[in-house]
Amino acid sequence: MQATCSHLHNLPGTGGSETAPASHCAHTVRMTGEGSCHHPGDIHIQISPVPGECGESPSPRNLRSGSQSNTQGCIHGRLRSHSHNEARQPDDATMEPGENGSSSISEFRCLFHWLQKSLPYILILCVKLVMQHITGISLGIGLLTTFMYANKSIVNQVFLRERCSKVQCACLLVFLAGSSVLLYYTFQSQSLYYSLIFLNPTLDFSSFWEVLWIVGITDFILKFLFMGFKCLILLVPSFVMSFKSKGYWYMLIEESCQYYRTFVPIPVWFRYLVSYGELGGSVTGWSLGILLGLLYLILKLLDFFGHLRTFRRALRIFLTRPSYGVTASKRQCSEADDLCSICQAEFQKPILLICQHIFCEECITLWFNREKTCPLCRTVISDHVNKWKDGATSSHLQIY
Ligand SMILES: [Zn+2]
Ligand SMILES: [Zn+2]
Ligand SMILES: [Zn+2]
């Protein structure tokens, strides 16, 4: 068909891109004018991506700016049409433009239609799945709400400082310990607590959901454990441990918790990955399992070094307790009108930052738990945010 065509076809490689739009557009105009041109493939030119520019008379501006897109669009359209012609009847080819133009929409509509039709069946399946895993799901919801409640209470108590209620802290501690013990007592037969200390609990290692369940539960229990430590710190009277050093302890506990939780799921997942599965004891299944296990270990090792840096920084902060500034003198305080701009009261243990602004020690410590800069002039004072000094626990679920 290409060989017999007498028009100025712009085939790839034969025409320069500068002259392409002109020749193509001339062809289009002539074609629509004549009625005798009978190769249906060329009809496709009219649905090329830039039909508006094709129809225009070629001006010098169009030649320069639109030449590349025009050429590509038209070649594309024409190559498609010629290849279609080999397989299809000319009648079919005329049906093409509508379908082609809205193919993505019609695909979407098709998918939507399928979803609409199969929605009742999906719902039935969902209900069945929920019924099957009702224990696991309700347990997960229970653990999540327990975690959120305890986390919020601890942050509240830390925020209250001297006015925090010791009774509530003790209750929280008992609550966390009780729920952990109850959970492990309920699933005594599986000895889930083994996975807390890198041992493998007794479970079916070929079941993905069971492994996921174990890892999730262990993660929550570890969070509860470290939250319990935070409650203990809260219970320490303030004349033994100042509010400021308690903040450093919360930070250290939280960083250790996150660090430890990264490694706890390793034995369980490793056992799961190297287990034979459906391939049985064949060499392929065995070597694939080993390969996956090794890949997992390598990823975990990389994770280890990434976390090590964070942990060491936290440890350094904990040990050195860096100060944000120097103690301000009486004269400097009176120059600042003896008024802390955070608490709007007289300075308590005034601290002079490097930007010469003065704040109470407690006020500015609380501020730097969230920010890196001076609250007045935005000078960068600290190179990191002491995220976990407010007693919060990360809600990140370490499931891998
Ligand atoms: Zn032609
Ligand atoms: Zn203040
Ligand atoms: Zn400042």
Side-chain angles (χ1 to χ4, degrees):
M1 184 156 287
Q2 283 175 26
T4 57
C5 179
S6 59
H7 296 290
L8 286 163
H9 274 294
N10 181 30
L11 291 167
T14 56
S17 66
E18 277 296 299
T19 58
S23 66
H24 158 65
C25 289
H27 170 74
T28 316
V29 168
R30 205 182 329 152
M31 214 214 74
T32 47
E34 294 171 21
S36 60
C37 182
H38 55 271
H39 45 277
D42 276 337
I43 290 167
H44 288 276
I45 291 165
Q46 280 151 12
I47 56 139
S48 65
V50 276
E53 280 189 43
C54 271
E56 282 171 18
S57 60
S59 68
R61 187 184 56 82
N62 272 355
L63 277 180
R64 242 177 287 114
S65 65
S67 65
Q68 199 56 40
S69 60
N70 259 340
T71 318
Q72 280 172 356
C74 293
I75 287 172
H76 182 232
R78 212 163 303 177
L79 285 178
R80 279 176 65 105
S81 66
H82 280 294
S83 64
H84 275 303
N85 269 341
E86 286 160 18
R88 287 182 178 218
Q89 293 296 313
D91 297 351
D92 288 348
T94 52
M95 294 295 289
E96 190 85 352
E99 188 198 323
N100 191 25
S102 59
S103 68
S104 58
I105 298 172
S106 70
E107 264 170 36
F108 177 75
R109 199 175 293 159
C110 189
L111 185 74
F112 181 74
H113 192 67
W114 178 82
L115 272 178
Q116 211 175 18
K117 270 176 81 175
S118 47
L119 194 65
Y121 303 101
I122 293 174
L123 275 177
I124 289 172
L125 264 180
C126 279
V127 171
K128 173 66 185 166
L129 280 175
V130 166
M131 291 305 289
Q132 253 179 341
H133 300 275
I134 191 78
T135 329
I137 290 171
S138 49
L139 199 72
I141 293 171
L143 285 171
L144 192 67
T145 43
T146 307
F147 165 74
M148 277 171 11
Y149 168 73
N151 191 19
K152 210 175 143 213
S153 309
I154 289 176
V155 172
N156 264 339
Q157 295 299 322
V158 170
F159 181 75
L160 288 173
R161 289 189 248 179
E162 269 74 44
R163 287 167 288 137
C164 85
S165 134
K166 302 278 180 207
V167 180
Q168 205 181 334
C169 294
C171 283
L172 210 59
L173 189 61
V174 171
F175 174 60
L176 286 174
S179 43
S180 310
V181 169
L182 185 72
L183 187 85
Y184 279 142
Y185 182 74
T186 316
F187 299 97
Q188 208 177 7
S189 59
Q190 289 173 308
S191 43
L192 298 181
Y193 43 84
Y194 274 5
S195 65
L196 287 179
I197 46 170
F198 300 107
L199 293 174
N200 275 319
T202 44
L203 73 137
D204 177 18
F205 275 99
S206 56
S207 159
F208 171 74
W209 294 110
E210 206 156 325
V211 169
L212 198 67
W213 189 68
I214 294 287
V215 170
I217 283 186
T218 308
D219 196 54
F220 270 117
I221 295 292
L222 276 173
K223 276 181 192 166
F224 291 173
L225 187 73
F226 282 90
M227 280 165 127
F229 289 151
K230 285 178 190 171
C231 286
L232 283 178
I233 298 280
L234 265 171
L235 284 171
V236 174
S238 54
F239 59 85
V240 178
M241 192 186 279
S242 72
F243 171 74
K244 200 180 158 192
S245 66
K246 276 185 184 180
Y248 286 110
W249 275 101
Y250 300 137
M251 187 187 69
L252 187 72
I253 288 173
E254 178 57 25
E255 293 285 353
S256 326
C257 176
Q258 288 182 15
Y259 200 47
Y260 189 68
R261 275 167 44 212
T262 317
F263 304 112
V264 161
I266 290 179
V268 180
W269 278 121
F270 188 74
R271 268 286 292 277
Y272 171 71
L273 287 171
V274 298
S275 67
Y276 302 128
E278 281 175 14
L279 288 168
S282 70
V283 180
T284 325
W286 188 75
S287 46
L288 189 71
I290 294 286
L291 184 73
L292 288 178
L294 279 179
L295 277 176
Y296 174 75
L297 283 186
I298 288 169
L299 282 178
K300 271 296 178 187
L301 203 67
L302 292 178
D303 223 20
F304 170 81
F305 286 113
H307 275 259
L308 187 67
R309 223 177 19 244
T310 337
F311 184 70
R312 275 171 58 182
R313 198 182 64 192
L315 201 65
R316 199 180 59 231
I317 292 168
F318 177 77
L319 293 175
T320 57
R321 315 258 164 119
S323 174
Y324 299 114
V326 293
T327 312
S329 67
K330 270 272 180 291
R331 198 174 57 81
Q332 284 165 325
C333 285
S334 59
E335 269 173 25
D337 295 335
D338 249 331
L339 200 72
C340 167
S341 38
I342 294 179
C343 61
Q344 297 293 319
E346 210 172 302
F347 288 121
Q348 308 284 325
K349 294 187 195 168
I351 292 283
L352 178 73
L353 303 183
I354 50 164
C355 57
Q356 305 300 313
H357 286 123
I358 306 175
F359 304 96
C360 316
E361 190 185 24
E362 267 190 17
C363 295
I364 200 65
T365 306
L366 277 178
W367 174 265
F368 283 128
N369 286 351
R370 293 163 197 282
E371 303 285 337
K372 295 177 181 178
T373 55
C374 166
L376 286 180
C377 64
R378 297 281 162 195
T379 307
V380 178
I381 308 289
S382 167
D383 60 343
H384 59 270
V385 177
N386 297 321
K387 246 194 285 181
W388 309 111
K389 276 167 86 177
D390 58 352
T393 303
S394 161
S395 55
H396 171 70
L397 192 59
Q398 186 76 46
I399 48 165
Y400 47 84

